[in-house]
Amino acid sequence: MKNRGEQEHRKKMKYVLVTGGVVSGLGKGVTASSVGVLLKACGLRVTSIKIDPYLNTDAGTMSPFEHGEVFVLDDGGEVDLDLGNYERFLDIKLTRDHNITTGKVYQASYFINYVINKERKGDYLGKTVQVVPHITDAIQEWIDRVANIPVDGREGPPDVCVIELGGTIGDIESMPFIEALGQFSYRVGPGNFCLIHVSLVPVLNVVGEQPLHENVKAKLSQFCHVPGENIITLYDVPNIWHIPLLLRDQKAHEAILNVLNLSSIAKKPVLDEWTERAELCDMLHQPVRIAMVGKYTGLSDSYLSVLKALLHASVACRRKLTVDWIPASDLEDETKAENPESYRVAWDLLKGADGVLVPGGFGDRGVQGKILAAKYARENKVPYLGICLGMQTAVIEFARSVLGLKDANSEEFDPSTKNPFVVFMPEVLNAVFLSRCVIDIACIFMCLCDAVSTGIDNTYGGDHAAWFKEDIFSCQELQECKTVNPEMVPQLESAGMSFTGKDETGQRMEIIELPDHPFFIGAQFHPEYKSRPGKPSPLFVGLIAAASGQLDAVLENPSSFVHNFLKRESPSCNGPPAKKSHHDAPSSNGRANGFHKDCRNGFVNSIHKTHANGSVNGMCNGHSNGSVTGIYPEYANGMNGVYSDGIYGSSLNGIISNGNGFHH
C-alpha cells in the first residue's frame, strides 16, 4: 500500500519539455525518447507528446523528403516519425492525439471542435478570437487531456509526460506553442514542470563530438542560469541505445527527479537489459547485407521504421547489419541507357546482397525496378521480404514471369490493363480523396490449411502460433489503397503462390509466400511499426535469419530464439551459409567494415570508392563526413542523416532548466 505522500505526489501529472536551439535536427527526438527510457527505468509510467508547429493537420500528405517517413499508429493516425521513436524506445502505444500540429489546433474536425470550428459555432460568445488567449488555451487544454491517456496497457494516467517541441526556438510558427508552454509551466506549478533544452555547442579544433570541457560548462552555467550539474553532454556513440546510458551516467535522472519532486518516489534506474543490448550491438562483427530497393533512398529517414526493424532483427540474430541502398529506378533499362554506371552499381549491390527488402511506396516511379528486384530474388533463391507495394510488385512479377501475362499490372499504374492483379479497394473508389490511402486497423487471419516450406504456416502455426501472433494475429496498421485482385488469386495459387494471410472476409490477401523458395514473403500490412528493440518483428527476423543461414535455428524454437537473444550464445548456422558477397573484399587503403583507424581513402565497408571519409556504424574515428552505411555522400555529418540516430559534428548538449519557464 502506497503511503499518503506517494499518493499525493502521483495525483499531479509531471511534465518534461524538450526544446531545441541553434539548428533543427540536433536529435531532440532521440533525447526525448532516451529521457523517457531513463524515467521508465526509475519505475515511473511515461507517456510522450510531439508538437509539430507546421500548418499541416498531420504528416499523411507530406513527402518523405520533407520530414522522413510517415509513422502510422494503432488508431490509424499518420504522424511524425518521432512518435515511432517514442513507441520503440518506451514500448508504448500512442494515439493520433499525441501528435499536436498547428493545423489540428486551429481546425481539428476529425477529433474535436477546436478554435476555428468553435468560433463558427459561436462558442466564444462574440469575443475577438486571438492567438492569446484562445490558441494558447487550446494548446494547453490539448496537452492536459492527452497527457492523462494511458499508453502502456495499464489503467490510470501515466506519471510523467515527455513533450517534444519540434523545430527551433525562435521559429515564427513555434511562437504560439512557446507562449502556451510558458503559461502551462506556471499553470501546473513548481515541482511539476522541467525544461530540457538541446543545443549545439561548437568547439573549434575538435573532430567529431566530444564531452564538454569544464570551463565551457562553467560559462554555460553562468550565462544560461543553469546549475553546472544540470548540463549534460551527449556526444558520438556507436549506437543510439547508448544515449539513455549517457544520461544515466551523468545523473540526468537525478536532476530531472529533483526538479519534479520525485526523488523520494523514483527508484534507482534499472537498465541492465538495455545495457546488454547496446553492448551486444557494438560487439557484432559478422555482417549480413540487405539490399533496400526503394524510391526515397536519398534520405534514409524515409524508411526509418524499416531500418529499425532490420536492426532489431539483426541484433537478435547476432549479425552486424549493412544496408545497401538501391534506387529502384537505377535497376531499369532506361537507366542503363542514360546512366550505365548507376545501372551497374545498382545491379552489383543487388547481386552482392544476402537478402532483398522492397518497402512500401506510391506512384509508378521505380516500380519496374522493384519488379526486377523481386524477379532476381525469386529466380536466384535470395531471401526476399516485400512490404505493401513490395508485395504487390512481387505478385505482378510472378504473374508476368510465371503465368506469362506480360501485361499484368496494378490499376494504379495502368488503369486500362486487361490483367489487373492489383486493384483499388472498393471503399477507396468511392472516396473523395483518392490521393490519400485508407488507413485501417485490421486483424489478419492465417490460413493454415496448406503446408508451406518457407515457414509462415509451418513455423508460425501450431505450436509456434503464439509467437507469430504478436506480429500477425494482433491488429496491424494497414496503410493501403490497393489489394491483390481476388479474382486472380486462383491463377496465382495454381502456379504455386500461396496466400497464407487474409483478412476476416477472406477477400483481401495480406501475406504471400512461395513454397519452393528458401524465404520469399510479401506482407500488405506494415510489420515494421510493431518492432521493438527487445521484441523484433518475426517477419524481419525471418529475413535476417534466412539471409545469414540461421533460418533452421529460428524455426526450431522461434520464441526462445527471439526473446532470449541477450542470454544465449551465438547461434550456429543450421541452414545453408549466406553466400559470399563480392563486396566483402577489403579496401585498398582501409579495412573493410570500417574498423581501420583512418578510413579516408578507399572503400568503406567495400561499398563505394567514392564514399570516403565515412565509417560503417561509426566504428572509425574522424569520419565526420560519412554515413552509417556509407552509401550516399549526401548523408554527410550524420548517422543515417543528422536528424535521427547519430549526431556527427560538434558537441550536442542537453541543458536542463531547474525551474518553471524558459532560459534563453
Side-chain angles (χ1 to χ4, degrees):
M1 185 131 181
K2 295 181 176 70
N3 60 44
R4 183 176 179 183
E6 181 176 345
Q7 290 176 342
E8 300 220 344
H9 273 300
R10 289 183 181 269
K11 282 180 182 176
K12 254 199 162 172
M13 174 68 65
K14 307 290 184 176
Y15 297 90
V16 176
L17 173 64
V18 179
T19 62
V22 184
V23 294
S24 183
L26 287 177
K28 296 187 301 297
V30 175
T31 301
S33 301
S34 299
V35 167
V37 168
L38 191 57
L39 295 177
K40 184 177 179 180
C42 292
L44 300 170
R45 296 176 62 194
V46 181
T47 185
S48 294
I49 292 176
K50 173 66 187 299
I51 296 175
D52 287 305
Y54 46 66
L55 285 171
N56 304 65
T57 300
D58 58 32
T61 57
M62 288 187 180
S63 164
F65 289 123
E66 290 285 329
H67 285 272
E69 76 167 2
V70 177
F71 190 82
V72 184
L73 299 168
D74 268 13
D75 64 358
E78 298 172 292
V79 296
D80 185 82
L81 57 80
D82 280 320
L83 277 81
N85 278 330
Y86 305 156
E87 287 205 345
R88 284 187 291 268
F89 267 56
L90 297 171
D91 194 15
I92 56 178
K93 292 183 180 180
L94 301 173
T95 70
R96 64 180 69 194
D97 281 12
H98 286 85
N99 190 195
I100 306 175
T101 69
T102 299
K104 287 181 181 179
V105 172
Y106 276 82
Q107 190 171 16
S109 58
Y110 57 90
F111 293 115
I112 55 179
N113 291 325
Y114 255 82
V115 177
I116 299 299
N117 293 335
K118 291 172 73 174
E119 184 274 332
R120 290 290 82 192
K121 293 193 305 180
D123 289 356
Y124 293 116
L125 304 177
K127 292 183 179 179
T128 301
V129 180
Q130 298 175 295
V131 172
V132 180
H134 301 103
I135 295 297
T136 53
D137 284 351
I139 293 169
Q140 294 177 65
E141 291 167 6
W142 194 307
I143 293 172
D144 184 59
R145 174 176 59 87
V146 174
N148 286 277
I149 298 175
V151 294
D152 56 2
R154 297 160 58 186
E155 294 183 358
D159 300 314
V160 181
C161 178
V162 179
I163 306 169
E164 179 192 349
L165 176 61
T168 305
I169 295 296
D171 293 343
I172 292 176
E173 60 265 30
S174 298
M175 289 182 178
F177 292 98
I178 294 171
E179 174 62 28
L181 289 164
Q183 294 178 18
F184 190 71
S185 68
Y186 288 100
R187 172 180 167 182
V188 299
N192 297 306
F193 190 92
C194 175
L195 169 65
I196 299 179
H197 186 67
V198 182
S199 183
L200 183 72
V201 182
V203 180
L204 300 179
N205 299 322
V206 174
V207 177
E209 293 176 5
Q210 303 290 333
L212 281 182
H213 294 152
E214 289 303 317
N215 62 332
V216 178
K217 278 191 175 185
K219 289 181 180 179
L220 287 171
S221 176
Q222 178 182 357
F223 292 109
C224 296
H225 305 163
V226 177
E229 62 270 19
N230 286 9
I231 298 177
I232 311 299
T233 304
L234 301 182
Y235 46 85
D236 288 354
V237 290
N239 65 75
I240 60 169
W241 294 337
H242 284 280
I243 299 297
L245 307 180
L246 271 181
L247 292 170
R248 177 202 60 188
D249 294 343
Q250 297 176 71
K251 302 187 185 305
H253 59 290
E254 294 183 5
I256 297 171
L257 295 173
N258 286 336
V259 172
L260 298 178
N261 290 335
L262 290 173
S263 299
S264 61
I265 298 172
K267 301 177 294 187
K268 182 179 179 181
V270 179
L271 288 167
D272 295 345
E273 183 177 329
W274 192 276
T275 302
E276 290 177 21
R277 188 180 301 113
E279 292 176 348
L280 173 61
C281 187
D282 294 344
M283 293 186 294
L284 299 175
H285 58 85
Q286 192 167 347
V288 58
R289 308 187 73 88
I290 301 298
M292 182 91 78
V293 183
K295 289 178 60 176
Y296 310 109
T297 54
L299 179 65
S300 61
D301 275 358
S302 301
Y303 303 108
L304 185 61
S305 291
V306 175
L307 279 174
K308 296 306 178 187
L310 284 172
L311 176 63
H312 302 161
S314 63
V315 172
C317 292
R318 302 292 184 93
R319 291 296 183 268
K320 185 179 185 65
L321 176 67
T322 296
V323 177
D324 290 336
W325 296 93
I326 303 177
S329 56
D330 284 0
L331 297 170
E332 299 173 358
D333 290 340
E334 185 176 342
T335 301
K336 182 179 181 180
E338 296 177 355
N339 193 338
E341 178 62 17
S342 295
Y343 178 85
R344 182 192 65 79
V345 169
W347 276 101
D348 283 350
L349 288 173
L350 182 64
K351 293 177 180 179
D354 302 314
V356 177
L357 194 153
V358 178
F362 305 96
D364 59 1
R365 181 173 65 86
V367 165
Q368 183 59 30
K370 294 185 176 186
I371 291 173
L372 291 170
K375 181 177 183 180
Y376 171 81
R378 180 181 60 81
E379 293 180 343
N380 293 276
K381 307 297 184 183
V382 177
Y384 176 91
L385 177 60
I387 299 173
C388 196
L389 181 58
M391 169 179 155
Q392 296 166 19
T393 52
V395 170
I396 294 170
E397 187 280 321
F398 191 86
R400 291 179 181 180
S401 301
V402 179
L403 296 178
L405 302 173
K406 301 302 181 182
D407 64 340
N409 215 324
S410 167
E411 286 184 342
E412 178 185 8
F413 312 131
D414 183 4
S416 61
T417 179
K418 295 181 180 180
N419 289 291
F421 276 78
V422 179
V423 296
F424 284 102
M425 296 188 298
E427 57 267 38
V428 174
L429 293 175
N430 297 326
V432 176
F433 297 103
L434 294 180
S435 61
R436 292 192 61 187
C437 287
V438 171
I439 307 297
D440 193 15
I441 304 299
C443 290
I444 300 169
F445 293 84
M446 304 304 297
C447 306
L448 304 177
C449 52
D450 298 318
V452 178
S453 61
T454 51
I456 286 288
D457 34 5
N458 272 351
T459 304
Y460 306 122
D463 293 338
H464 304 310
W467 177 59
F468 198 58
K469 181 177 180 180
E470 297 174 12
D471 204 42
I472 301 301
F473 282 82
S474 61
C475 289
Q476 294 287 321
E477 292 88 343
L478 299 178
Q479 186 179 12
E480 55 179 295
C481 299
K482 291 84 59 181
T483 186
V484 176
N485 189 346
E487 296 179 3
M488 302 295 189
V489 169
Q491 295 183 61
L492 294 166
E493 289 181 327
S494 65
M497 178 172 284
S498 294
F499 293 87
T500 48
K502 302 177 182 179
D503 76 339
E504 56 188 349
T505 68
Q507 294 301 302
R508 290 191 187 156
M509 308 302 116
E510 301 296 348
I511 303 173
I512 65 166
E513 282 195 276
L514 296 181
D516 60 348
H517 193 285
F519 188 92
F520 193 102
I521 295 178
Q524 183 61 57
F525 58 97
H526 289 263
E528 67 270 25
Y529 296 143
K530 293 295 186 182
S531 186
R532 302 289 184 265
K535 294 184 289 186
S537 162
L539 285 182
F540 283 86
V541 171
L543 174 66
I544 297 297
S548 58
Q550 301 182 71
L551 188 57
D552 288 347
V554 174
L555 303 189
E556 287 177 6
N557 195 345
S559 182
S560 176
F561 189 95
V562 172
H563 296 304
N564 299 322
F565 68 87
L566 291 176
K567 299 178 182 178
R568 61 179 168 80
E569 298 294 328
S570 295
S572 58
C573 295
N574 296 317
K579 61 189 181 67
K580 179 71 173 178
S581 168
H582 74 281
H583 296 298
D584 289 339
S587 60
S588 56
N589 291 305
R591 290 175 58 188
N593 295 320
F595 284 99
H596 196 280
K597 185 177 181 181
D598 188 354
C599 301
R600 292 192 179 95
N601 300 303
F603 286 42
V604 178
N605 211 4
S606 301
I607 297 175
H608 280 303
K609 62 183 178 181
T610 57
H611 301 145
N613 298 323
S615 78
V616 177
N617 292 323
M619 298 304 292
C620 298
N621 294 322
H623 303 119
S624 56
N625 292 313
S627 72
V628 168
T629 52
I631 303 292
Y632 287 94
E634 61 261 38
Y635 295 158
N637 298 318
M639 182 192 322
N640 278 334
V642 178
Y643 183 79
S644 60
D645 290 353
I647 307 97
Y648 281 66
S650 298
S651 185
L652 170 67
N653 304 284
I655 302 176
I656 302 176
S657 168
N658 65 341
N660 302 301
F662 295 82
H663 298 296
H664 296 293

